[in-house]
Amino acid sequence: MNSNLRFAHPGLAIDACNLVNLYASGRLEEILLTIPVPVFITSKVCDEEAKYIWGGPDDDVKSQIELVQLQPYIERSLLQRVELITELEQSACVYFASYGLRDGEATTGAIASSRGWAIGTDEHKARSIFARNVPHLQLLTTQELVKFWVDETDPPIGDVQLVLRNIELRGNYTVTSRNILYDWWQHFQTR
């Protein structure tokens, strides 16, 4: 099975919301292995923003937290840490932050725009700002990345349902009708 999604850039920079959702899926490694381009996270996202997911039992998921452990993925180069390097990147970061984006979103957008990478984010405000300011860059959501994994690997339906439930519960991800793959997501939730 092949996905209709095509990765239009030589890299993908994901922000904290994407990273937390994919981590919460319980299948981060499998999802990262299907993405055909390197996946980057800024140090700001890695060190300060993607800290935990909900770790309690399904009926009381918020009763405990589970720390996000990224080092194994970094050591295997499934995720690559990047820093703001140039003055252009630092200026772009300040520019995106001036719109009220969090530091992780601003650094992710600045690095992606400077280096010509796609941006992974679910935050509506960030998506809107990036679409206006760097319209040539592909914007990808958690839903698109998970659907790509499903299309490429064809896991059992029960596995897909568990991944989606984990993202919603443990990643605290809310799927609304304005999400681009709302119907696809709901299809698996009702099977």
Side-chain angles (χ1 to χ4, degrees), residues 18-89:
N18 253 164
L19 183 58
V20 165
N21 290 334
L22 295 177
Y23 190 90
S25 75
R27 299 292 180 96
L28 177 61
E29 179 175 344
E30 293 174 36
I31 294 168
L32 292 173
L33 285 169
T34 64
I35 298 172
V37 297
V39 179
F40 300 93
I41 54 172
T42 68
S43 293
K44 187 67 76 174
V45 166
C46 184
D47 298 338
E48 297 176 27
E49 292 188 2
K51 302 303 283 176
Y52 68 90
I53 61 173
W54 297 117
D58 285 355
D59 62 342
D60 190 18
V61 72
K62 292 184 180 182
S63 66
Q64 299 173 15
I65 61 169
E66 176 184 329
L67 297 178
V68 171
Q69 303 291 331
L70 298 177
Q71 196 57 38
Y73 305 99
I74 294 168
E75 288 172 1
R76 295 185 50 222
S77 297
L78 294 172
L79 289 171
Q80 297 179 39
R81 285 175 63 119
V82 289
E83 307 280 344
L84 294 170
I85 296 174
T86 67
E87 284 185 34
L88 178 65
E89 289 174 348

Side-chain angles (χ1 to χ4, degrees), residues 54-183:
W54 297 117
D58 285 355
D59 62 342
D60 190 18
V61 72
K62 292 184 180 182
S63 66
Q64 299 173 15
I65 61 169
E66 176 184 329
L67 297 178
V68 171
Q69 303 291 331
L70 298 177
Q71 196 57 38
Y73 305 99
I74 294 168
E75 288 172 1
R76 295 185 50 222
S77 297
L78 294 172
L79 289 171
Q80 297 179 39
R81 285 175 63 119
V82 289
E83 307 280 344
L84 294 170
I85 296 174
T86 67
E87 284 185 34
L88 178 65
E89 289 174 348
Q90 292 171 359
S91 294
C93 182
V94 170
Y95 177 76
F96 288 134
S98 74
Y99 282 101
L101 295 185
R102 292 189 313 254
D103 290 346
E105 294 164 344
T107 58
T108 298
I111 287 174
S113 65
S114 170
R115 301 178 193 188
W117 296 338
I119 302 171
T121 185
D122 296 307
E123 295 292 334
H124 180 70
K125 181 177 181 178
R127 292 180 61 78
S128 176
I129 290 166
F130 295 145
R132 278 195 315 272
N133 288 279
V134 286
H136 59 286
L137 295 183
Q138 184 178 28
L139 298 176
L140 297 170
T141 63
T142 294
Q143 290 177 342
E144 289 171 299
L145 296 173
V146 171
K147 183 180 185 304
F148 183 80
W149 166 71
V150 169
D151 290 347
E152 292 295 308
T153 63
D154 196 24
I157 290 173
D159 289 2
V160 177
Q161 290 171 327
L162 179 60
V163 162
L164 301 184
R165 189 176 77 240
N166 283 344
I167 291 170
E168 288 179 357
L169 289 176
R170 300 185 185 295
N172 201 34
Y173 182 65
T174 303
V175 180
T176 66
S177 59
R178 76 176 181 183
N179 294 113
I180 58 175
L181 291 173
Y182 175 79
D183 291 336

